[in-house]
């Protein structure tokens, strides 16, 4: 039976980063993945994810984002891969909306560089956008996007871990010496510590955690703008999150995939419960029409021609904050899951946190918000 210092189960965004950080600290690491490298069956795919620092979800995330930005730069340098691009970003809505007011609160609390734009200023700076007269925007120059598939490939490229693809974990159990044993259909392995980064398989693999996860189907869309992509190129156009009066949000990106690649847009948190095994991977005409109509409201030229769509999975916790902690009943296990549709920008710093917890049992980075005990009782 092969033995390691740490076994990492799940090699998507978080797991690949954890395997990379752990191996860099001299740990003997085994990585187990249900599918192939940088696969599209979970949540670490779709070509782009927004990154930003003026965080409307909570100012408590900002210290992690500042560290994540340092690690994104290091990952890009060490791997030579195009993992992050800072295009600038706007958070748009009514002045008292969560998207605007929450972003402003984080920016002010942490002294982050930002500008406030009224509707005329927003339209003048980004002519492709058509805000309502009473809407405003917070502009953040350090916002941009990261590439999920390239990020996973970069961490897998840099790690010296023993990586096993198409080999899912079947079960795990603590051992008498305080370690863990992991079984797969191909064999059994032991380690002093186990890391579980299950993505949308959290309800199955971590049913004993006491967290009522909800897995949701989400859809990402690409449209070719009616006037061409020039107004939407990264030099002319930012990432954005746009909140309507009813609290619903859409988010989108510049045209980052060439002259015929279109621009990506999606609803934020408009999903239906599903499982990884039962998700409907077909994107229906009614969904495309709904997204097109919403896009046209804010970006009149965007939904010129529908190009393609892709499903992905959100792993939601009830409060939409993450789970990153030692397992409540098995301290030789670290869990990282429930990233609730806003976690990918944190991938490199979550990898660092997991490595801290797996090797020392603690971390200097602030993670109290992510303790699963908050759902007990």
């Amino acid at each position: 039976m092969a033995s390691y210092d740490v076994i990492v189960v799940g090699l998507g965004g978080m797991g690949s980063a954890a395997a990379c950080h752990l191996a860099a600290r001299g740990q003997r690491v085994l990585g187990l993945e249900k599918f192939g490298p940088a696969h599209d069956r979970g949540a670490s795919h779709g070509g782009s994810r927004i990154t930003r620092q003026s965080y409307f979800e909570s100012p408590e995330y900002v210290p992690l984002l500042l560290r994540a930005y340092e690690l994104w730069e290091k990952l890009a340098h060490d791997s030579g891969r195009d993992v992050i691009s800072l295009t600038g970003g706007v958070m748009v809505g009514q002045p008292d909306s969560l998207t605007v007011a929450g972003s402003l609160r984080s920016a002010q609390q942490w002294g982050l560089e930002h500008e406030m734009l009224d509707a005329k200023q927003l339209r003048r700076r980004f002519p492709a956008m058509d805000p309502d007269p009473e809407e405003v925007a917070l502009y953040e120059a350090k916002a941009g996007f990261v590439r999920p598939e390239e990020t996973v490939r970069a961490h897998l490229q840099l790690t010296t871990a023993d990586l096993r693809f198409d080999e899912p974990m079947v079960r795990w159990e603590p051992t008498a010496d305080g370690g863990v044993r992991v079984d797969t259909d191909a064999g059994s392995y032991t380690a002093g510590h186990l890391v579980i980064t299950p993505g949308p398989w959290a309800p199955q693999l971590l049913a004993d955690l006491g967290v009522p996860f909800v897995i949701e189907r989400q859809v990402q869309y690409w449209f070719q703008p009616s006037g061409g992509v020039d107004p939407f190129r990264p030099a002319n156009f930012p990432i954005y999150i746009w909140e309507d009066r009813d609290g619903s949000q859409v988010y989108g990106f510049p045209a980052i995939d060439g002259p015929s690649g279109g621009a990506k847009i999606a609803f934020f948190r408009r999903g239906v419960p599903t499982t990884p095994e039962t998700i409907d991977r077909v994107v229906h005409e009614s969904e495309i029409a709904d997204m097109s109509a919403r896009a046209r409201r804010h970006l009149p030229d965007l939904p010129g021609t529908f190009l393609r769509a892709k499903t992905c999975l959100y792993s939601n916790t009830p409060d939409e904050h993450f789970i990153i902690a030692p397992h409540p009943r098995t301290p030789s296990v670290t869990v990282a899951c429930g990233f609730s549709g806003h976690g990918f920008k944190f991938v490199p710093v979550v990898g660092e946190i997991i490595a801290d917890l797996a090797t020392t049992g603690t971390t200097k980075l602030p993670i109290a918000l992510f303790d699963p005990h908050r759902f007990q009782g």
Side-chain angles (χ1 to χ4, degrees):
M1 186 184 301
S3 183
Y4 297 83
D5 295 321
V6 184
I7 298 172
V8 178
V9 172
L11 295 174
M14 305 306 177
S16 63
C20 189
H21 279 275
L22 284 161
R25 299 184 186 191
Q27 298 290 299
R28 294 175 298 114
V29 180
L30 170 66
L32 297 173
E33 168 56 51
K34 182 180 181 71
F35 301 105
H39 64 81
D40 64 355
R41 313 313 291 170
S44 297
H45 64 277
S48 57
R49 292 289 187 276
I50 284 176
T51 187
R52 52 196 163 91
Q53 294 181 355
S54 301
Y55 218 59
F56 62 75
E57 286 84 349
S58 171
E60 293 180 70
Y61 285 88
V62 175
L64 299 178
L65 287 161
L66 298 177
R67 177 57 179 157
Y69 268 58
E70 296 173 350
L71 293 171
W72 280 114
E73 183 177 349
K74 184 177 188 302
L75 181 64
H77 176 270
D78 292 351
S79 68
R81 291 181 178 270
D82 180 17
V83 294
I84 183 168
S85 298
L86 301 185
T87 60
V90 288
M91 309 298 118
V92 188
Q94 299 295 314
D96 61 351
S97 65
L98 172 64
T99 302
V100 174
S103 298
L104 181 59
R105 181 171 62 253
S106 284
Q108 291 175 334
Q109 180 171 326
W110 290 98
L112 303 175
E113 292 185 14
H114 67 283
E115 298 178 61
M116 294 304 301
L117 307 175
D118 62 24
K120 290 182 179 179
Q121 292 169 321
L122 179 62
R123 189 180 293 108
R124 188 179 308 121
R125 187 173 299 191
F126 305 114
M129 294 185 168
D130 186 25
D132 291 339
E134 67 276 11
E135 289 183 315
V136 299
L138 180 145
Y139 174 77
E140 178 188 335
K142 290 187 177 180
F145 65 91
V146 296
R147 292 190 176 273
E149 293 93 339
E150 281 297 282
T151 299
V152 173
R153 293 186 187 107
H155 281 125
L156 296 178
Q157 166 192 326
L158 293 173
T159 188
T160 58
D162 180 3
L163 304 177
R164 310 284 181 92
F165 295 101
D166 300 305
E167 187 175 343
M169 179 179 69
V170 175
R171 68 185 66 84
W172 67 270
E173 62 183 6
T175 56
D177 62 358
V180 291
R181 169 178 166 150
V182 170
D183 295 328
T184 73
D185 287 338
S188 297
Y189 312 96
T190 60
H193 202 91
L194 171 63
V195 170
I196 304 178
T197 52
W201 287 268
Q204 295 98 307
L205 296 182
L206 294 172
D208 62 340
L209 200 59
V211 178
F213 296 106
V214 174
I215 309 305
E216 287 186 346
R217 172 187 179 271
Q218 304 285 340
V219 184
Q220 307 163 75
Y221 304 82
W222 286 259
F223 293 92
Q224 186 73 359
S226 57
V229 299
D230 278 352
F232 292 86
R233 291 185 186 277
N236 304 322
F237 194 78
I239 63 91
Y240 58 90
I241 300 177
W242 205 310
E243 181 175 336
D244 270 10
R245 286 182 177 275
D246 62 3
S248 64
Q249 296 164 301
V250 296
Y251 66 95
F253 300 81
I256 62 176
D257 297 319
S260 59
K264 176 180 165 184
I265 185 171
F267 289 105
F268 188 41
R269 304 195 187 288
R270 182 188 284 194
V272 294
T274 187
T275 71
E277 293 75 26
T278 62
I279 180 175
D280 181 4
R281 297 283 182 183
V282 175
V283 179
H284 302 277
E285 290 295 332
S286 60
E287 295 178 296
I288 298 167
D290 194 18
M291 185 76 264
S292 178
R294 181 62 173 272
R296 188 174 295 107
R297 188 187 312 169
H298 303 309
L299 305 152
D301 292 335
L302 178 57
T305 304
F306 170 71
L307 297 178
R308 65 189 186 278
K310 187 80 171 177
T311 59
C312 70
L313 293 161
Y314 280 10
S315 306
N316 297 314
T317 64
D319 60 9
E320 297 173 356
H321 297 310
F322 311 156
I323 302 292
I324 311 173
H327 193 288
R329 286 176 294 282
T330 311
S332 57
V333 177
T334 295
V335 297
C337 54
F339 290 95
S340 300
H342 65 111
F344 202 91
K345 63 184 72 63
F346 297 90
V347 156
V349 73
V350 170
E352 183 175 65
I353 292 167
I354 291 171
D356 290 343
L357 296 176
T359 56
T360 70
T362 187
T363 181
K364 294 180 180 179
L365 291 160
I367 62 169
L369 183 63
F370 312 136
D371 191 332
H373 283 103
R374 67 187 189 272
F375 296 114
Q376 306 306 313

